[in-house]
Short mmCIF file of all heavy atoms in Angstrom, two decimals:
data_model
loop_
_atom_site.label_atom_id
_atom_site.label_comp_id
_atom_site.label_asym_id
_atom_site.label_seq_id
_atom_site.Cartn_x
_atom_site.Cartn_y
_atom_site.Cartn_z
N VAL A 336 3.78 -3.15 -22.74
CA VAL A 336 2.53 -3.50 -23.41
C VAL A 336 1.72 -2.22 -23.65
O VAL A 336 1.39 -1.51 -22.70
CB VAL A 336 1.70 -4.49 -22.56
CG1 VAL A 336 0.40 -4.86 -23.28
CG2 VAL A 336 2.52 -5.73 -22.26
N PRO A 337 1.39 -1.89 -24.90
CA PRO A 337 0.59 -0.70 -25.16
C PRO A 337 -0.83 -0.87 -24.65
O PRO A 337 -1.35 -1.99 -24.63
CB PRO A 337 0.63 -0.56 -26.69
CG PRO A 337 0.92 -1.93 -27.19
CD PRO A 337 1.75 -2.61 -26.14
N VAL A 338 -1.43 0.24 -24.23
CA VAL A 338 -2.73 0.21 -23.56
C VAL A 338 -3.78 0.98 -24.36
O VAL A 338 -3.52 2.08 -24.85
CB VAL A 338 -2.62 0.82 -22.14
CG1 VAL A 338 -3.99 0.93 -21.47
CG2 VAL A 338 -1.67 -0.01 -21.27
N ILE A 339 -4.97 0.38 -24.44
CA ILE A 339 -6.16 1.08 -24.94
C ILE A 339 -7.01 1.36 -23.71
O ILE A 339 -7.44 0.44 -23.02
CB ILE A 339 -6.97 0.20 -25.91
CG1 ILE A 339 -6.12 -0.31 -27.07
CG2 ILE A 339 -8.19 0.96 -26.43
CD1 ILE A 339 -6.80 -1.40 -27.92
N THR A 340 -7.26 2.62 -23.43
CA THR A 340 -8.11 2.96 -22.29
C THR A 340 -8.98 4.16 -22.65
O THR A 340 -8.87 4.71 -23.75
CB THR A 340 -7.29 3.20 -21.01
OG1 THR A 340 -8.17 3.29 -19.88
CG2 THR A 340 -6.46 4.49 -21.09
N THR A 341 -9.84 4.56 -21.72
CA THR A 341 -10.83 5.59 -22.02
C THR A 341 -10.44 6.95 -21.43
O THR A 341 -9.49 7.07 -20.65
CB THR A 341 -12.21 5.21 -21.46
OG1 THR A 341 -12.19 5.31 -20.02
CG2 THR A 341 -12.60 3.80 -21.87
N ASP A 342 -11.24 7.93 -21.79
CA ASP A 342 -11.04 9.29 -21.29
C ASP A 342 -11.55 9.48 -19.87
O ASP A 342 -11.54 10.59 -19.35
CB ASP A 342 -11.71 10.31 -22.24
CG ASP A 342 -13.16 9.93 -22.57
OD1 ASP A 342 -13.65 8.89 -22.06
OD2 ASP A 342 -13.80 10.66 -23.34
N ARG A 343 -12.01 8.40 -19.25
CA ARG A 343 -12.49 8.48 -17.85
C ARG A 343 -11.57 7.69 -16.92
O ARG A 343 -12.02 7.04 -15.98
CB ARG A 343 -13.92 7.97 -17.75
CG ARG A 343 -14.92 8.81 -18.53
CD ARG A 343 -16.32 8.41 -18.15
NE ARG A 343 -17.29 8.73 -19.17
CZ ARG A 343 -18.46 8.14 -19.31
NH1 ARG A 343 -18.79 7.15 -18.47
NH2 ARG A 343 -19.32 8.49 -20.25
N THR A 344 -10.30 7.71 -17.22
CA THR A 344 -9.26 7.10 -16.39
C THR A 344 -8.10 8.10 -16.33
O THR A 344 -8.22 9.22 -16.82
CB THR A 344 -8.75 5.77 -17.01
OG1 THR A 344 -8.03 6.10 -18.22
CG2 THR A 344 -9.88 4.83 -17.35
N ALA A 345 -6.95 7.65 -15.81
CA ALA A 345 -5.75 8.49 -15.84
C ALA A 345 -5.08 8.47 -17.20
O ALA A 345 -4.07 9.13 -17.39
CB ALA A 345 -4.76 8.03 -14.77
N GLY A 346 -5.65 7.71 -18.14
CA GLY A 346 -5.06 7.58 -19.46
C GLY A 346 -4.63 8.91 -20.08
O GLY A 346 -3.47 9.04 -20.52
N PRO A 347 -5.52 9.92 -20.15
CA PRO A 347 -5.13 11.19 -20.76
C PRO A 347 -3.96 11.89 -20.07
O PRO A 347 -3.28 12.71 -20.69
CB PRO A 347 -6.42 12.03 -20.65
CG PRO A 347 -7.52 11.02 -20.63
CD PRO A 347 -6.96 9.87 -19.84
N ASP A 348 -3.70 11.57 -18.80
CA ASP A 348 -2.60 12.19 -18.06
C ASP A 348 -1.26 11.51 -18.34
O ASP A 348 -0.20 12.13 -18.16
CB ASP A 348 -2.87 12.14 -16.55
CG ASP A 348 -4.09 12.95 -16.15
OD1 ASP A 348 -4.03 14.19 -16.25
OD2 ASP A 348 -5.10 12.34 -15.75
N ILE A 349 -1.29 10.24 -18.75
CA ILE A 349 -0.03 9.49 -18.84
C ILE A 349 0.22 8.86 -20.22
O ILE A 349 1.32 8.40 -20.48
CB ILE A 349 0.05 8.39 -17.75
CG1 ILE A 349 -1.15 7.46 -17.83
CG2 ILE A 349 0.19 9.00 -16.38
CD1 ILE A 349 -1.13 6.32 -16.81
N ILE A 350 -0.80 8.85 -21.08
CA ILE A 350 -0.64 8.26 -22.42
C ILE A 350 -0.75 9.36 -23.48
O ILE A 350 -1.64 10.20 -23.42
CB ILE A 350 -1.74 7.20 -22.68
CG1 ILE A 350 -1.51 5.96 -21.80
CG2 ILE A 350 -1.78 6.79 -24.16
CD1 ILE A 350 -2.63 4.94 -21.86
N LYS A 351 0.16 9.33 -24.43
CA LYS A 351 0.06 10.20 -25.59
C LYS A 351 -0.61 9.37 -26.68
O LYS A 351 0.02 8.50 -27.29
CB LYS A 351 1.43 10.70 -26.04
CG LYS A 351 1.34 11.86 -27.01
CD LYS A 351 2.61 12.68 -27.02
CE LYS A 351 2.41 13.94 -27.88
NZ LYS A 351 3.64 14.74 -27.99
N SER A 352 -1.90 9.60 -26.87
CA SER A 352 -2.69 8.75 -27.76
C SER A 352 -2.13 8.78 -29.18
O SER A 352 -1.88 9.84 -29.75
CB SER A 352 -4.16 9.20 -27.77
OG SER A 352 -4.97 8.22 -28.39
N GLY A 353 -1.94 7.57 -29.72
CA GLY A 353 -1.39 7.47 -31.07
C GLY A 353 0.12 7.39 -31.10
O GLY A 353 0.72 7.28 -32.17
N GLU A 354 0.75 7.41 -29.89
CA GLU A 354 2.22 7.30 -29.82
C GLU A 354 2.68 6.19 -28.88
O GLU A 354 3.54 5.39 -29.22
CB GLU A 354 2.85 8.63 -29.40
CG GLU A 354 2.75 9.71 -30.47
CD GLU A 354 3.56 10.95 -30.11
OE1 GLU A 354 4.44 10.87 -29.24
OE2 GLU A 354 3.29 12.01 -30.71
N ASP A 355 2.13 6.18 -27.64
CA ASP A 355 2.50 5.11 -26.71
C ASP A 355 1.27 4.40 -26.13
O ASP A 355 1.32 3.75 -25.10
CB ASP A 355 3.41 5.64 -25.59
CG ASP A 355 2.81 6.85 -24.88
OD1 ASP A 355 1.59 7.06 -24.96
OD2 ASP A 355 3.58 7.59 -24.24
N GLY A 356 0.14 4.55 -26.80
CA GLY A 356 -1.12 3.94 -26.38
C GLY A 356 -2.26 4.62 -27.10
O GLY A 356 -2.05 5.43 -28.01
N TRP A 357 -3.48 4.29 -26.67
CA TRP A 357 -4.65 4.87 -27.32
C TRP A 357 -5.69 5.27 -26.27
O TRP A 357 -5.98 4.51 -25.34
CB TRP A 357 -5.31 3.86 -28.26
CG TRP A 357 -4.45 3.41 -29.39
CD1 TRP A 357 -4.37 3.94 -30.64
CD2 TRP A 357 -3.54 2.29 -29.39
NE1 TRP A 357 -3.48 3.25 -31.42
CE2 TRP A 357 -2.95 2.24 -30.67
CE3 TRP A 357 -3.15 1.35 -28.43
CZ2 TRP A 357 -2.02 1.27 -31.01
CZ3 TRP A 357 -2.22 0.40 -28.76
CH2 TRP A 357 -1.65 0.35 -30.04
N ILE A 358 -6.24 6.48 -26.42
CA ILE A 358 -7.35 6.94 -25.59
C ILE A 358 -8.60 6.91 -26.46
O ILE A 358 -8.63 7.53 -27.54
CB ILE A 358 -7.13 8.38 -25.06
CG1 ILE A 358 -5.78 8.49 -24.34
CG2 ILE A 358 -8.29 8.79 -24.14
CD1 ILE A 358 -5.63 7.65 -23.11
N VAL A 359 -9.62 6.18 -26.01
CA VAL A 359 -10.88 6.10 -26.76
C VAL A 359 -12.02 6.65 -25.91
O VAL A 359 -11.92 6.77 -24.69
CB VAL A 359 -11.19 4.65 -27.18
CG1 VAL A 359 -10.12 4.11 -28.11
CG2 VAL A 359 -11.36 3.73 -25.96
N GLU A 360 -13.10 6.97 -26.57
CA GLU A 360 -14.29 7.46 -25.87
C GLU A 360 -14.85 6.37 -24.98
O GLU A 360 -14.95 5.20 -25.38
CB GLU A 360 -15.34 7.88 -26.91
CG GLU A 360 -16.63 8.40 -26.32
CD GLU A 360 -17.71 8.61 -27.37
OE1 GLU A 360 -17.39 8.48 -28.58
OE2 GLU A 360 -18.85 8.90 -26.98
N ALA A 361 -15.23 6.71 -23.75
CA ALA A 361 -15.82 5.73 -22.84
C ALA A 361 -17.18 5.29 -23.37
O ALA A 361 -17.93 6.07 -23.93
CB ALA A 361 -15.96 6.34 -21.45
N GLY A 362 -17.47 4.00 -23.18
CA GLY A 362 -18.78 3.49 -23.58
C GLY A 362 -18.94 3.29 -25.07
O GLY A 362 -20.05 3.35 -25.59
#
Side-chain angles (χ1 to χ4, degrees):
V336 181
V338 174
I339 305 169
T340 191
T341 71
D342 49 1
R343 296 191 204 157
T344 68
D348 296 292
I349 56 178
I350 291 173
K351 194 158 187 183
S352 193
E354 290 189 18
D355 53 20
W357 298 268
I358 306 297
V359 298
E360 179 188 353

